[in-house]
Amino acid sequence: MSEEKLLEVRDLRKFFQTKAGMLHAVDGISLSLEKGKTIGVVGESGCGKSTLGRTILGLTPATSGQIIFQGEDITNLTGRKRKHLYKKMQMIFQDPSSSLDPRKNVSQLISEPMRINKVYRSKGEIADRVASLMETVGLAERFSDSYAHELDGGRRQRIGIARALSLEPEFIVCDEPVSALDVSVQAQILNLLQDLQEEKNLSYLFITHDLSVVKHISDDILVMYMGCAVELCPAKELFSHAYHPYTKGLLSAIPIPSIHVNHDSIIMEGELTSPIEPKNGCRFASRCPYAKEVCHNETPTFRAMTSGHFVACHCADDF
C-alpha cells in the first residue's frame, strides 16, 4: 500500500532580477514528499536551499512550475486561501535570535500566531494552549515571562518550534534549525523534531549543509548545486552509493572521529559557475575531475539510475 503524498513540486523555478542579469536561484526542482516523512535538502551555501523552502511556502512567489499540496495546486494562491494554507504549512528559521521579536516574552511569542489567526475565542484557551506547547517542546513554565535574549540558543529554538506547532500544521520547512547551536544542543533539537514527527505525523523539508545531520533525520535526500538538483534518493542509499561527483565530494568532507582510519577528502577545485544567466552545460563541470566535452556544452537531464535514485550527470554510467 502506497503512502499518502502530501507535497509535490514540479519543475519549480525562482529567478531574481539583478543588475548583471537574471539570477537562477532555483532552477527546475522536482520532488515529492509523503505524509509523515522527511526529505533533506543539502548543498553548499548559496545553492538555493533556503530559497526553495521559502518558495514552496509562498513567502517568495515562484517564477514558474507547480507546487501541489494535498492534491491542490497552491502555486499562485492569494488572499484568504493563502492565509488558510499557512495554518497547514509552517517554518522553523535558522537563527532563533533574529526570528523572534525581542519586545515579546515567551508566552506572547508562542501565542502570537494563534491570536493573529483567531483560532481560539478566549485568552484562557490561548494560555492553556501555550502551556501545552511549552511542555511539548521542553520549555519549563518558569520561562513564560522571560524574553528571548535572556535564554540560550537551544531554548530560543524551542520557542521557534512551539510557534511553528501552534497552528497544528501538517508540513514544516526546517531551514537549518540546528546550525546556530552547539553540538550537544543540536542533538536535543533533532531528537525533539523526530519525536514530534512521530507523535503528530508531521512532514518535514529539512534544509542543511551538514550531511551528518541530514543522515540522522531524513528518509530521502535532495542534493542541490547552483540552483539545480544533482541527486535525489533514499538517505541510506546516498551514503552507500552516490553517483554524482559533487555528492561524493560532500560525503568525503564528513569527518571520521578515528585516528586509525585513513580518510582522503576529495578536493573540489576550479571556478564556481555564475548562477546569473547560466550557459548550457553542467554547472559543476568547471570543478568536476571527470568532466567531458559534453558536460560543458549540454545540460544533463535528471534521470533514474535505479528505482528511486535520480542523478543529473552525463558521466554517471562510468562510475
Side-chain angles (χ1 to χ4, degrees):
M1 182 177 178
S2 61
E3 297 286 343
E4 179 185 350
K5 187 178 292 185
L6 181 76
L7 173 72
E8 188 174 3
V9 175
R10 301 173 183 170
D11 198 26
L12 187 65
R13 301 174 193 273
K14 176 58 186 178
F15 301 164
F16 295 96
Q17 183 66 55
T18 70
K19 292 181 179 179
M22 198 68 74
L23 188 151
H24 294 214
V26 175
D27 202 352
I29 298 292
S30 296
L31 58 85
S32 63
L33 177 63
E34 295 173 352
K35 192 170 180 61
K37 300 293 185 180
T38 299
I39 182 166
V41 182
V42 299
E44 295 169 298
S45 296
C47 72
K49 305 185 300 295
S50 295
T51 302
L52 173 64
R54 291 171 177 271
T55 305
I56 289 174
L57 290 181
L59 298 179
T60 179
T63 301
S64 64
Q66 281 186 301
I67 305 163
I68 311 297
F69 184 75
Q70 294 181 326
E72 180 184 359
D73 188 341
I74 64 168
T75 313
N76 298 309
L77 284 185
T78 57
R80 290 184 178 180
K81 289 186 176 180
R82 170 61 65 181
K83 185 177 180 179
H84 178 71
L85 180 67
Y86 282 145
K87 296 179 183 179
K88 300 181 180 181
M89 307 172 75
Q90 289 291 307
M91 189 167 191
I92 300 171
F93 295 92
Q94 176 178 0
D95 185 0
S97 300
S98 61
S99 63
L100 300 174
D101 189 339
R103 298 168 298 179
K104 293 182 170 62
N105 62 31
V106 171
S107 179
Q108 292 169 331
L109 287 169
I110 296 174
S111 64
E112 185 177 32
M114 294 180 276
R115 288 186 280 104
I116 291 174
N117 289 277
K118 300 178 181 178
V119 294
Y120 294 102
R121 295 182 178 179
S122 69
K123 293 182 179 178
E125 288 179 308
I126 293 177
D128 290 342
R129 176 64 174 157
V130 169
S132 175
L133 285 167
M134 290 182 65
E135 182 180 358
T136 297
V137 301
L139 275 172
E141 186 180 352
R142 70 179 185 275
F143 295 122
S144 60
D145 293 325
S146 300
Y147 290 84
H149 70 270
E150 298 174 325
L151 306 177
D152 59 36
R155 289 192 175 98
R156 286 197 292 266
Q157 194 58 288
R158 290 174 191 269
I159 298 171
I161 294 171
R163 281 170 58 89
L165 293 174
S166 62
L167 299 178
E168 299 184 353
E170 298 179 42
F171 170 64
I172 300 178
V173 173
C174 305
D175 187 8
E176 304 210 38
V178 298
S179 65
L181 307 177
D182 293 337
V183 174
S184 60
V185 181
Q186 285 184 11
Q188 295 173 16
I189 298 300
L190 288 173
N191 289 334
L192 171 61
L193 289 171
Q194 288 184 305
D195 290 342
L196 290 171
Q197 182 175 46
E198 184 175 344
E199 177 187 340
K200 301 179 181 296
N201 201 28
L202 296 170
S203 301
Y204 295 145
L205 182 81
F206 194 95
I207 298 167
T208 182
H209 62 271
D210 190 335
L211 275 164
S212 300
V213 169
V214 82
K215 180 182 181 182
H216 180 71
I217 198 170
S218 301
D219 296 290
D220 297 306
I221 297 177
L222 171 71
V223 182
M224 288 184 65
Y225 183 79
M226 289 292 175
C228 296
V230 297
E231 195 153 2
L232 172 63
C233 66
K236 291 182 179 179
E237 187 169 342
L238 187 83
F239 284 84
S240 63
H241 192 175
Y243 283 99
H244 202 282
Y246 177 64
T247 308
K248 292 182 178 183
L250 292 179
L251 292 172
S252 77
I254 300 175
I256 298 176
S258 174
I259 62 174
H260 304 292
V261 177
N262 184 16
H263 183 63
D264 295 325
S265 296
I266 299 173
I267 306 300
M268 292 183 281
E269 300 176 341
E271 292 293 326
L272 290 172
T273 301
S274 173
I276 298 176
E277 305 289 358
K279 300 177 182 178
N280 287 336
C282 175
R283 294 182 191 177
F284 187 63
S286 62
R287 302 174 71 190
C288 180
Y290 310 103
K292 303 176 182 178
E293 184 178 353
V294 66
C295 302
H296 294 278
N297 298 320
E298 295 182 19
T299 302
T301 57
F302 203 53
R303 57 194 174 104
M305 299 301 295
T306 59
S307 178
H309 194 149
F310 300 87
V311 66
C313 178
H314 291 299
C315 306
D317 294 314
D318 300 336
F319 305 137

